[in-house]
Amino acid sequence: MSAVSDRLPTFPWDKLEPYKKTAAAHPDGIVDLSVGTPVDPVPELIQKALTDAADSPGYPTVWGTPALRDAITGWAGRRLGARDMTHRHVLPIVGSKELVAWLPTQLGLGPGDRVAFPRLAYPTYEVGARLARAQYEAYTLTPGADAPGPTELDPEGLKLLWLNSPSNPTGRVLPKSELTRIVAWAREHGVLVVSDECYLELGWEADPVSVLHPDVNGGSYDGLVAVHSLSKRSNLAGYRAAFLAGDPAVLGPLLEIRKHGGMMTSAPTQAAVVAALGDDEHVRVQRERYAARRTALREALLGHGFRIEHSEASLYLWATRDESCWDTVAHLAGRGILVAPGDFYGPAGGRFVRVALTATDERVRAAVARL
């Protein structure tokens, strides 16, 4: 077991514990804006779908029910512009984090293969490469007409290119023109593009576009897979509900591997996802909650001397006081506010903190008052 665990970095959130204790000692209690876990209720129609399916004594299928695959393809057509998808183009997964962590292994990558991800990124992209014993590297996308893609990357041996738009942690949105160039570059070099689009429903100052949109991929899903989650849009983090959509030549073998591994979404959760993807109203309501919290926190941070970069989408504000991120974490913890240090997401984040919008209205008001 140590041969596997020794490949992994220190779990970053453990480093935040002393600051969490400081923030929790505030007389009015902690305002936790660090992890980004949903706090609002699961919509009633989703809860009802879950409980109605509670009597599910048999094993669920890895591929999901026909109703679930219909719901995913229907949503992809309606929301992403991917209107010609069939059941072969989609695959349910047990939350998106397990997929990110195990995808390189399930793709058969190993020593000598390379995995690339954004320079500021969700740490699990690196973890997935480490688990597979593949090489990994961070890249910077340079926007502009002369940048056909992540040009600093040598395509030799590069097997998997992660995209993340809207970004965690920065909230940056890649424009359609940039996505188009990246897809063309990856196809030219035979590189699989997997686009983490879990925050796509949460655009504030930009309208995020999927790699599955025909304007990006030219009407072909070859070499493309998108990852989507219901954790944020529908408050279903506790349900572990997510799915893949894209190239059947990639998803077909993944399905077979996941069948052997027993990686199946529970039957009640599958029913809940059908209800969630079929209803847009609860997403609108949740967006309004987050928009109000975002406005309040953004104004308070700016008034407190912070500068905010990107943050045009997602559930976070990428903020800096032009000092070490840990000095900022300590400064805010002293006011009972816990945030995530930017270096959790790569050395380039060393002077930023990530401020989540996932706190109750009452806790957000408390943070605003303290700032």
Side-chain angles (χ1 to χ4, degrees):
M1 288 178 65
S2 64
V4 177
S5 62
D6 288 350
R7 298 176 203 159
L8 304 179
T10 302
F11 189 64
W13 294 98
D14 292 343
K15 301 176 187 177
L16 205 55
E17 281 302 313
Y19 302 92
K20 186 174 184 178
K21 289 179 181 178
T22 299
H26 190 279
D28 187 37
I30 189 172
V31 179
D32 193 342
L33 307 177
S34 61
V35 176
T37 187
V39 298
D40 298 304
V42 174
E44 288 186 12
L45 85 160
I46 300 175
Q47 292 190 47
K48 183 176 186 304
L50 183 86
T51 56
D52 287 349
D55 186 14
S56 298
Y59 290 110
T61 62
V62 174
W63 199 16
T65 63
L68 176 58
R69 300 195 298 272
D70 282 343
I72 295 172
T73 55
W75 180 85
R78 185 174 75 250
R79 183 64 184 85
L80 308 181
R83 294 184 175 85
D84 58 348
M85 285 199 154
T86 70
H87 287 185
R88 295 173 56 249
H89 290 88
V90 298
L91 179 63
I93 54 177
V94 192
S96 59
K97 184 171 185 175
E98 66 90 353
L99 183 282
V100 173
W102 292 108
L103 181 62
T105 298
Q106 292 175 4
L107 291 173
L109 305 189
D113 296 321
R114 293 167 50 232
V115 176
F117 46 80
R119 196 167 299 282
L120 282 165
Y122 184 43
T124 312
Y125 302 136
E126 178 182 325
V127 167
R130 285 174 176 256
L131 286 169
R133 292 183 293 179
Q135 298 175 32
Y136 57 88
E137 57 194 283
Y139 66 83
T140 300
L141 289 174
T142 304
D146 296 329
T151 51
E152 70 181 66
L153 289 171
D154 179 357
E156 182 67 29
L158 181 62
K159 298 296 179 65
L160 172 59
L161 176 68
W162 281 104
L163 297 181
N164 181 210
S165 175
S167 163
N168 172 17
T170 69
R172 180 189 176 192
V173 173
L174 299 179
K176 187 184 295 183
S177 58
E178 195 164 342
L179 287 171
T180 302
R181 288 194 294 271
I182 295 166
V183 168
W185 181 90
R187 284 175 168 168
E188 178 186 354
H189 298 289
V191 178
L192 174 66
V193 173
V194 181
S195 181
D196 182 346
E197 301 175 354
C198 290
Y199 297 93
L200 186 132
E201 298 271 29
L202 298 167
W204 311 115
E205 298 162 5
D207 187 14
V209 179
S210 172
V211 295
L212 302 180
H213 195 285
D215 288 354
V216 172
N217 59 40
S220 168
Y221 304 121
D222 290 352
L224 303 176
V225 175
V227 185
H228 285 272
S229 168
L230 286 85
S231 293
K232 306 301 193 287
R233 71 181 297 276
S234 300
N235 300 331
L236 296 189
Y239 285 45
R240 309 315 302 135
F243 59 89
L244 304 178
D247 189 347
V250 178
L251 300 189
L254 281 179
L255 171 61
E256 296 306 314
I257 292 165
R258 295 171 70 84
K259 283 180 181 178
H260 284 287
M263 305 179 84
M264 57 190 81
T265 305
S266 76
T269 296
Q270 291 188 32
V273 172
V274 172
L277 292 179
D279 178 75
D280 294 331
E281 177 61 17
H282 79 276
V283 180
R284 184 193 65 78
V285 171
Q286 189 61 44
R287 275 179 54 85
E288 289 184 354
R289 291 189 185 117
Y290 284 137
R293 293 166 187 166
R294 178 182 183 273
T295 297
L297 285 169
R298 187 177 188 278
E299 291 178 356
L301 288 166
L302 292 173
H304 197 72
F306 280 84
R307 185 177 78 256
I308 295 173
E309 291 191 2
H310 297 302
S311 306
E312 60 262 32
S314 84
L315 279 181
Y316 312 106
L317 294 169
W318 188 237
T320 181
R321 300 203 315 163
D322 293 312
E323 63 185 5
S324 163
C325 61
W326 288 101
D327 289 344
T328 305
V329 168
H331 170 79
L332 292 174
R335 286 154 178 77
I337 302 169
L338 189 68
V339 299
D343 66 4
F344 277 11
Y345 308 94
R351 299 180 72 81
F352 285 80
V353 294
R354 193 194 74 169
V355 183
L357 310 180
T358 49
T360 64
D361 293 340
E362 183 274 329
R363 289 288 83 187
V364 168
R365 286 194 295 269
V368 168
R370 296 174 196 182
L371 291 169

